[in-house]
Amino acid sequence: FIQTDAAINPGNSGGPLVDVEKGEIIGINTCIRANMEGTSFAVPINKAKAIVDDLAEGKHINHGYVGVSMASLTPDLARQNNADPNS
């Protein structure tokens, strides 16, 4: 994703992210981060171009997933994480 400060509000995602200096579409506005005012994300236009035909044919698109989650680090969790240096 491209992180941007473009104004994206609920209901108006899907519009173009435009490089105003060159007049080129560089992404498709997709989502906002609820707890980060003014931060939004766009799918890079090269990614959209690469999958547009598959989407039109109804094919499933696989996306990478990092598998990271957030948690508050408590003393118990710190001890648990440090108990096995190979974990």
Side-chain angles (χ1 to χ4, degrees):
F1 283 100
I2 300 171
Q3 182 175 334
T4 178
D5 61 354
I8 301 176
N9 298 303
N12 76 346
S13 63
L17 178 63
V18 179
D19 177 340
V20 294
E21 291 181 2
K22 297 180 181 180
E24 297 176 347
I25 296 173
I26 60 172
I28 300 173
N29 295 322
T30 306
C31 60
I32 57 175
R33 177 70 172 103
N35 298 335
M36 296 173 60
E37 187 173 326
T39 301
S40 55
F41 298 93
V43 173
I45 198 63
N46 293 342
K47 175 68 172 175
K49 286 180 178 180
I51 64 173
V52 68
D53 292 333
D54 288 341
L55 288 172
E57 294 173 13
K59 293 181 180 175
H60 178 76
I61 308 299
N62 291 319
H63 300 281
Y65 178 72
V66 177
V68 175
S69 61
M70 302 290 286
S72 296
L73 185 59
T74 63
D76 288 337
L77 187 54
R79 279 189 290 279
Q80 179 183 355
N81 285 340
N82 292 329
D84 182 359
N86 296 318
S87 64

